[in-house]
Amino acid sequence: MTAPRSRNASSLRPVAGAGASGISGESAVGSFFHEDRHPWLTRRVRDVASGGEGTLTAIVHEESRAGTVRVAHIRRASGVEWSAAIDNIRLVPSSGSCQAQ
């Protein structure tokens, strides 16, 4: 087992622009490499890769061989939580925005 590489906040820069999900990389990285002020936090989202829906609980900047990547953490109502690529999540429209016709 190898020791984890040390990271510092200055090496983690938000990803510029927005992916297909429309999530901009402009959110500031806070404690524990989380985006603390992201507008979708605590909102209902869908992971298009798995089809699962839940509440966005965190967006974390994680190191990979390719550099720093942004990972979304989503929790179902049952309490089960999973992670997904940030470009694979979409905001689920609130039921109040649809009007009966």
Side-chain angles (χ1 to χ4, degrees), residues 1-100:
M1 187 167 175
T2 60
R5 296 180 355 199
S6 64
R7 302 185 293 184
N8 61 36
S10 64
S11 68
L12 296 176
R13 292 184 180 87
V15 179
S21 65
I23 298 179
S24 171
E26 298 304 315
S27 297
V29 178
S31 61
F32 300 107
F33 305 101
H34 286 69
E35 291 184 16
D36 295 332
R37 291 176 271 145
H38 194 280
W40 288 11
L41 287 173
T42 71
R43 307 264 318 265
R44 189 158 184 81
V45 296
R46 177 178 296 120
D47 173 12
V48 295
S50 69
E53 289 186 14
T55 303
L56 181 63
T57 59
I59 297 174
V60 181
H61 291 232
E62 296 181 2
E63 268 189 32
S64 75
R65 291 179 185 192
T68 302
V69 295
R70 295 166 69 216
V71 179
H73 291 263
I74 304 163
R75 182 178 300 143
R76 290 188 191 271
S78 66
V80 174
E81 190 166 317
W82 76 97
S83 59
I86 197 72
D87 286 336
N88 283 347
I89 66 169
R90 304 293 183 272
L91 191 59
V92 175
S94 62
S95 58
S97 64
C98 297
Q99 295 180 2

